Amino acid sequence: MWLMLLIIYTIVVAYALDYLHYRCGVRRDLKPSNILLDANMVAHVGDFGLAKIFSLELSDANKSSSGHVRGTIGYAPPKYGLGNEVSPSGDIYSYGILLLEMLTGKKPVDSMFREGLSLHSHATSALAGDFVLQIADPMLLRDDVKEGSLISLLEIGVRCSSEYPQD
């Protein structure tokens, strides 16, 4: 049951990102606290912690500023720290990190991730070493979970959270 809810949740969030990018031209600070579930368990994406007053010129809303990093540490792609423009690929990166967090139960800023280890590299190693069940959140393993489903979701999370958008 938990894995099925996770799959539905990630699909709904992906549809929301698609809508925001291609119908609204809006970028979000995608992280767990910006996704709310309604009474029917339908996910809604918002931007609550970094609410901004948008200027009349929408082009200014997506430009980078050397004064601050856009997004939340751990969820924002590394390129944002270099002053690059906010882009749909940044939201895809955040989506990948969000998915990896839901699958592993580990936050991207967990104390275990230091000295070059990250949530992305942790998941990549689990895929390569064939130990996906060992890094999965134990709550997901309570039901009769198909390892193939976890592997597929983990692969999506790893690909989306690649440091290089072209990957």
Side-chain angles (χ1 to χ4, degrees):
M1 178 180 98
W2 287 108
L3 185 59
M4 184 56 66
L5 286 174
L6 176 66
I7 291 169
I8 292 168
Y9 179 83
T10 57
I11 290 170
V12 171
V13 171
Y15 278 124
L17 282 178
D18 178 68
Y19 176 81
L20 291 170
H21 289 164
Y22 297 108
R23 297 203 182 128
C24 298
V26 175
R27 312 297 185 261
R28 295 287 179 198
D29 181 23
L30 190 62
K31 59 185 177 181
S33 61
N34 283 347
I35 301 170
L36 299 178
L37 298 175
D38 66 18
N40 297 317
M41 297 301 285
V42 174
H44 299 273
V45 177
D47 190 353
F48 307 106
L50 292 178
K52 301 172 190 76
I53 299 174
F54 290 99
S55 68
L56 293 176
E57 295 183 53
L58 290 176
S59 61
D60 286 346
N62 287 330
K63 288 186 180 171
S64 64
S65 167
S66 59
H68 64 283
V69 175
R70 295 190 178 268
T72 301
I73 294 173
Y75 299 94
K79 68 178 189 162
Y80 284 7
L82 302 174
N84 289 340
E85 271 191 35
V86 175
S87 69
S89 64
D91 286 343
I92 299 305
Y93 176 90
S94 300
Y95 175 76
I97 294 295
L98 176 74
L99 185 51
L100 295 178
E101 179 178 350
M102 289 188 299
L103 290 167
T104 64
K106 300 283 185 202
K107 293 190 173 297
V109 293
D110 190 286
S111 62
M112 74 179 281
F113 302 127
R114 57 177 186 252
E115 297 178 15
L117 183 63
S118 66
L119 182 56
H120 174 85
S121 63
H122 181 60
T124 301
S125 296
L127 283 169
D130 199 27
F131 57 92
V132 171
L133 291 178
Q134 286 81 358
I135 70 160
D137 185 338
M139 183 170 281
L140 295 176
L141 302 177
R142 289 171 33 179
D143 300 323
D144 185 25
V145 174
K146 304 283 188 236
E147 186 175 7
S149 299
L150 284 174
I151 290 171
S152 295
L153 288 170
L154 204 62
E155 285 174 341
I156 292 169
V158 164
R159 287 188 181 191
C160 289
S161 63
S162 173
E163 187 174 340
Y164 305 102
Q166 66 272 18
D167 294 342

